[in-house]
Amino acid sequence: HLKIRYEDYLLKERGLSTVTGSRYWPYIRRFLLERFGKKPMRFCELCPQDIDPFLLSHAHERTPKAAQLMVSAMRSFFRFLFRYGETKRDLSTAVATVAAWRLSEVPKYIKPEEVESLLESCDRTTSVGRRNYSILLLIARLGLRAGEVVALELGDINWRASELTIRGKGQFCDRLPLPQSVGEALAIYLKNDRPKCSTRRVFVRMRAPYRGFKDSTTVSTIVRRTVEKSGLNTPSKGAHLLRHSLATGMLRKGASMTEIGELLRHQSPNSTEIYAKVDIEGLRSIVRIWPEKGGAI
């Protein structure tokens, strides 16, 4: 199977995590469907002229960061094809670069009371609702990425120590404290709602075949549907909405950039700097008053 071969290549030859593969695959799958449709996939027929139209048609639909992820996925896939002789040339060099200025965007977030309203909109009288509530809590309280929710396994929950082991970017593993509310939601789901199955993944499909989520898109879809059901008017509907909201809420309660970076597990302090742009009161305190006409500068 192509997906399995590709993810095995990422893991064993590129040293990347399974989370990376799950984030890349939706872009690759869409490209292959648009290029070949229901016809046999003859990779030897691929050429640079197939790449630009796809990128141009989809890049404008996404944020610069998401477009860059799409480009990274395409390059990675073409290197894989060339590595195994599926193409005569390395088409990764034909994938254009997406320009994006660092810190050019403002994080999209919602207020703490809106986060609580979103969580309350989950129907916890149903198995699906209780599972989804657990997922949203993990993102809203601990800032997990969608791919990290997908990768979470039963053995990653240390009930005695009240800790979670998170499998993050680049095969890094981190331990986070497990808040009581999150632990209770997980325990209820695992005891009463999770179908009996062989997979070690915490979150699984509620319909047969019972297995872990295919990729991070499933988590983003759960968040999006919950947002739509809640009736909230949010600036975005993906899983990162709750992660950004957590960081913004911490900042406004006085948390330092270092503390926010530690919770979000940023490998570089530069990744946390973006949240300074939503600290409006802090920015007002350092802004210089624009002089009136004829006044001294």
CSV table of all heavy atoms in Angstrom, one decimal, residues 31 47-52 54-55 67-79 89-98:
chain,number,residue,atom,x,y,z
A,31,PHE,N,-3.6,15.4,-4.2
A,31,PHE,CA,-2.9,15.6,-5.4
A,31,PHE,C,-3.1,14.4,-6.4
A,31,PHE,O,-3.3,14.5,-7.6
A,31,PHE,CB,-1.4,15.9,-5.1
A,31,PHE,CG,-0.5,15.8,-6.4
A,31,PHE,CD1,-0.5,16.9,-7.3
A,31,PHE,CD2,0.3,14.7,-6.6
A,31,PHE,CE1,0.3,16.8,-8.4
A,31,PHE,CE2,1.1,14.6,-7.7
A,31,PHE,CZ,1.1,15.7,-8.6
A,47,CYS,N,5.1,15.1,-14.2
A,47,CYS,CA,6.0,16.1,-14.7
A,47,CYS,C,5.8,17.4,-14.0
A,47,CYS,O,4.8,17.6,-13.3
A,47,CYS,CB,5.8,16.3,-16.2
A,47,CYS,SG,4.2,16.9,-16.7
A,48,PRO,N,6.7,18.3,-14.1
A,48,PRO,CA,6.6,19.6,-13.4
A,48,PRO,C,5.3,20.3,-13.7
A,48,PRO,O,4.7,21.1,-12.9
A,48,PRO,CB,7.8,20.4,-13.9
A,48,PRO,CG,8.8,19.4,-14.2
A,48,PRO,CD,8.0,18.2,-14.8
A,49,GLN,N,4.7,20.1,-14.9
A,49,GLN,CA,3.5,20.8,-15.3
A,49,GLN,C,2.3,20.3,-14.5
A,49,GLN,O,1.3,21.0,-14.5
A,49,GLN,CB,3.2,20.6,-16.8
A,49,GLN,CG,4.2,21.4,-17.7
A,49,GLN,CD,5.6,20.8,-17.7
A,49,GLN,OE1,5.8,19.6,-17.6
A,49,GLN,NE2,6.6,21.7,-17.9
A,50,ASP,N,2.4,19.2,-13.8
A,50,ASP,CA,1.3,18.7,-13.0
A,50,ASP,C,1.3,19.4,-11.6
A,50,ASP,O,0.3,19.4,-11.0
A,50,ASP,CB,1.5,17.2,-12.8
A,50,ASP,CG,1.4,16.4,-14.0
A,50,ASP,OD1,0.5,16.7,-14.9
A,50,ASP,OD2,2.1,15.4,-14.2
A,51,ILE,N,2.5,20.0,-11.3
A,51,ILE,CA,2.6,20.4,-9.9
A,51,ILE,C,2.1,21.9,-9.7
A,51,ILE,O,1.3,22.1,-8.8
A,51,ILE,CB,4.1,20.4,-9.5
A,51,ILE,CG1,4.6,18.9,-9.6
A,51,ILE,CG2,4.3,20.9,-8.1
A,51,ILE,CD1,6.1,18.8,-9.4
A,52,ASP,N,2.5,22.8,-10.5
A,52,ASP,CA,2.1,24.2,-10.4
A,52,ASP,C,0.6,24.4,-10.3
A,52,ASP,O,0.1,25.2,-9.4
A,52,ASP,CB,2.8,25.1,-11.4
A,52,ASP,CG,4.2,25.3,-11.2
A,52,ASP,OD1,4.7,25.0,-10.1
A,52,ASP,OD2,4.9,25.8,-12.1
A,54,PHE,N,-1.8,22.5,-9.3
A,54,PHE,CA,-2.3,22.0,-8.0
A,54,PHE,C,-2.0,23.0,-6.9
A,54,PHE,O,-2.8,23.3,-6.1
A,54,PHE,CB,-1.7,20.6,-7.7
A,54,PHE,CG,-2.1,20.1,-6.4
A,54,PHE,CD1,-3.3,19.5,-6.2
A,54,PHE,CD2,-1.2,20.2,-5.3
A,54,PHE,CE1,-3.7,19.0,-5.0
A,54,PHE,CE2,-1.6,19.7,-4.1
A,54,PHE,CZ,-2.8,19.1,-3.9
A,55,LEU,N,-0.7,23.4,-6.8
A,55,LEU,CA,-0.3,24.3,-5.8
A,55,LEU,C,-1.0,25.7,-5.9
A,55,LEU,O,-1.5,26.2,-4.9
A,55,LEU,CB,1.2,24.6,-5.8
A,55,LEU,CG,2.1,23.4,-5.5
A,55,LEU,CD1,3.6,23.7,-5.7
A,55,LEU,CD2,1.8,22.8,-4.1
A,67,ALA,N,-0.1,26.3,3.7
A,67,ALA,CA,0.4,26.2,2.4
A,67,ALA,C,1.9,25.7,2.4
A,67,ALA,O,2.3,24.9,1.5
A,67,ALA,CB,0.3,27.5,1.7
A,68,GLN,N,2.6,26.2,3.4
A,68,GLN,CA,4.0,25.7,3.5
A,68,GLN,C,4.1,24.2,3.8
A,68,GLN,O,4.9,23.5,3.3
A,68,GLN,CB,4.8,26.5,4.5
A,68,GLN,CG,5.1,27.9,4.1
A,68,GLN,CD,5.8,28.7,5.1
A,68,GLN,OE1,5.5,28.6,6.3
A,68,GLN,NE2,6.8,29.5,4.7
A,69,LEU,N,3.1,23.8,4.7
A,69,LEU,CA,3.0,22.3,5.0
A,69,LEU,C,2.7,21.5,3.8
A,69,LEU,O,3.3,20.4,3.5
A,69,LEU,CB,2.0,22.1,6.1
A,69,LEU,CG,1.8,20.7,6.5
A,69,LEU,CD1,3.0,20.1,7.2
A,69,LEU,CD2,0.6,20.6,7.5
A,70,MET,N,1.8,22.0,2.9
A,70,MET,CA,1.5,21.3,1.7
A,70,MET,C,2.7,21.2,0.8
A,70,MET,O,2.9,20.1,0.2
A,70,MET,CB,0.3,22.1,1.0
A,70,MET,CG,-0.1,21.5,-0.4
A,70,MET,SD,-1.5,22.4,-1.1
A,70,MET,CE,-0.8,24.0,-1.4
A,71,VAL,N,3.5,22.3,0.7
A,71,VAL,CA,4.7,22.3,-0.2
A,71,VAL,C,5.7,21.3,0.4
A,71,VAL,O,6.3,20.5,-0.4
A,71,VAL,CB,5.3,23.7,-0.2
A,71,VAL,CG1,6.7,23.6,-0.8
A,71,VAL,CG2,4.4,24.6,-1.1
A,72,SER,N,5.8,21.2,1.7
A,72,SER,CA,6.8,20.3,2.3
A,72,SER,C,6.3,18.8,2.0
A,72,SER,O,7.2,18.0,1.8
A,72,SER,CB,6.8,20.5,3.8
A,72,SER,OG,7.4,21.8,4.1
A,73,ALA,N,5.0,18.6,2.1
A,73,ALA,CA,4.5,17.3,1.9
A,73,ALA,C,4.8,16.8,0.4
A,73,ALA,O,5.2,15.7,0.2
A,73,ALA,CB,3.0,17.2,2.1
A,74,MET,N,4.6,17.8,-0.5
A,74,MET,CA,4.8,17.4,-1.9
A,74,MET,C,6.2,17.1,-2.2
A,74,MET,O,6.6,16.2,-2.9
A,74,MET,CB,4.3,18.6,-2.8
A,74,MET,CG,2.8,18.9,-2.7
A,74,MET,SD,1.8,17.7,-3.5
A,74,MET,CE,2.2,18.1,-5.2
A,75,ARG,N,7.1,18.0,-1.7
A,75,ARG,CA,8.6,17.7,-1.9
A,75,ARG,C,9.0,16.4,-1.3
A,75,ARG,O,9.7,15.6,-1.9
A,75,ARG,CB,9.4,18.8,-1.2
A,75,ARG,CG,9.3,20.2,-2.0
A,75,ARG,CD,10.3,21.1,-1.4
A,75,ARG,NE,10.3,22.4,-2.1
A,75,ARG,CZ,10.2,23.6,-1.5
A,75,ARG,NH1,10.2,23.7,-0.2
A,75,ARG,NH2,10.1,24.7,-2.2
A,76,SER,N,8.5,16.1,-0.1
A,76,SER,CA,8.8,14.8,0.5
A,76,SER,C,8.4,13.7,-0.3
A,76,SER,O,9.1,12.7,-0.5
A,76,SER,CB,8.2,14.8,1.9
A,76,SER,OG,8.3,13.5,2.5
A,77,PHE,N,7.2,13.7,-0.8
A,77,PHE,CA,6.6,12.6,-1.6
A,77,PHE,C,7.4,12.4,-2.9
A,77,PHE,O,7.6,11.3,-3.3
A,77,PHE,CB,5.1,12.9,-1.9
A,77,PHE,CG,4.5,11.8,-2.6
A,77,PHE,CD1,4.3,10.5,-2.0
A,77,PHE,CD2,4.0,11.9,-3.9
A,77,PHE,CE1,3.7,9.5,-2.6
A,77,PHE,CE2,3.3,10.9,-4.6
A,77,PHE,CZ,3.2,9.7,-3.9
A,78,PHE,N,7.8,13.5,-3.5
A,78,PHE,CA,8.5,13.3,-4.8
A,78,PHE,C,9.9,12.8,-4.5
A,78,PHE,O,10.4,12.0,-5.4
A,78,PHE,CB,8.6,14.7,-5.5
A,78,PHE,CG,7.2,15.1,-6.1
A,78,PHE,CD1,6.8,16.4,-6.0
A,78,PHE,CD2,6.5,14.2,-6.8
A,78,PHE,CE1,5.6,16.8,-6.5
A,78,PHE,CE2,5.2,14.6,-7.4
A,78,PHE,CZ,4.8,15.9,-7.2
A,79,ARG,N,10.5,13.1,-3.4
A,79,ARG,CA,11.8,12.5,-3.1
A,79,ARG,C,11.6,11.0,-2.8
A,79,ARG,O,12.5,10.2,-3.2
A,79,ARG,CB,12.4,13.2,-1.8
A,79,ARG,CG,12.8,14.6,-2.0
A,79,ARG,CD,13.6,15.1,-0.8
A,79,ARG,NE,13.8,16.6,-0.9
A,79,ARG,CZ,13.2,17.5,-0.1
A,79,ARG,NH1,12.3,17.0,0.8
A,79,ARG,NH2,13.4,18.7,-0.3
A,89,ARG,N,13.2,11.4,-12.6
A,89,ARG,CA,13.9,12.6,-12.1
A,89,ARG,C,13.3,13.0,-10.7
A,89,ARG,O,12.1,12.6,-10.4
A,89,ARG,CB,13.9,13.8,-13.0
A,89,ARG,CG,12.5,14.2,-13.4
A,89,ARG,CD,12.4,15.5,-14.2
A,89,ARG,NE,12.8,16.7,-13.4
A,89,ARG,CZ,12.6,17.9,-13.8
A,89,ARG,NH1,12.1,18.2,-15.0
A,89,ARG,NH2,12.9,18.9,-13.0
A,90,ASP,N,14.0,13.8,-10.0
A,90,ASP,CA,13.6,14.2,-8.6
A,90,ASP,C,12.7,15.4,-8.8
A,90,ASP,O,13.2,16.5,-9.0
A,90,ASP,CB,14.8,14.5,-7.7
A,90,ASP,CG,14.3,14.9,-6.3
A,90,ASP,OD1,13.1,14.9,-6.1
A,90,ASP,OD2,15.2,15.2,-5.5
A,91,LEU,N,11.4,15.2,-8.8
A,91,LEU,CA,10.4,16.3,-9.0
A,91,LEU,C,10.3,17.3,-7.9
A,91,LEU,O,9.6,18.3,-8.0
A,91,LEU,CB,9.1,15.8,-9.4
A,91,LEU,CG,9.0,15.0,-10.7
A,91,LEU,CD1,7.6,14.4,-10.9
A,91,LEU,CD2,9.2,16.0,-11.9
A,92,SER,N,11.0,17.0,-6.7
A,92,SER,CA,10.9,17.9,-5.6
A,92,SER,C,11.5,19.2,-5.9
A,92,SER,O,11.0,20.2,-5.3
A,92,SER,CB,11.6,17.3,-4.4
A,92,SER,OG,13.0,17.2,-4.6
A,93,THR,N,12.4,19.3,-6.8
A,93,THR,CA,13.0,20.5,-7.2
A,93,THR,C,12.1,21.4,-8.0
A,93,THR,O,12.3,22.6,-8.1
A,93,THR,CB,14.3,20.3,-8.0
A,93,THR,OG1,14.0,19.6,-9.2
A,93,THR,CG2,15.3,19.5,-7.2
A,94,ALA,N,11.0,20.9,-8.5
A,94,ALA,CA,10.0,21.6,-9.3
A,94,ALA,C,8.9,22.2,-8.4
A,94,ALA,O,8.0,22.9,-8.9
A,94,ALA,CB,9.4,20.8,-10.4
A,95,VAL,N,8.9,21.9,-7.1
A,95,VAL,CA,7.9,22.4,-6.2
A,95,VAL,C,8.2,23.8,-5.8
A,95,VAL,O,9.3,24.0,-5.2
A,95,VAL,CB,7.7,21.5,-5.0
A,95,VAL,CG1,6.6,22.1,-4.1
A,95,VAL,CG2,7.4,20.1,-5.4
A,96,ALA,N,7.4,24.8,-6.0
A,96,ALA,CA,7.7,26.2,-5.7
A,96,ALA,C,7.7,26.4,-4.2
A,96,ALA,O,7.1,25.7,-3.5
A,96,ALA,CB,6.6,27.1,-6.4
A,97,THR,N,8.3,27.5,-3.8
A,97,THR,CA,8.3,27.9,-2.4
A,97,THR,C,7.2,28.9,-2.1
A,97,THR,O,6.8,29.7,-2.9
A,97,THR,CB,9.7,28.6,-2.1
A,97,THR,OG1,10.8,27.7,-2.4
A,97,THR,CG2,9.7,29.1,-0.7
A,98,VAL,N,6.6,28.7,-1.0
A,98,VAL,CA,5.5,29.6,-0.5
A,98,VAL,C,6.1,30.6,0.4
A,98,VAL,O,6.7,30.3,1.4
A,98,VAL,CB,4.4,28.8,0.2
A,98,VAL,CG1,3.4,29.8,0.8
A,98,VAL,CG2,3.8,27.8,-0.7
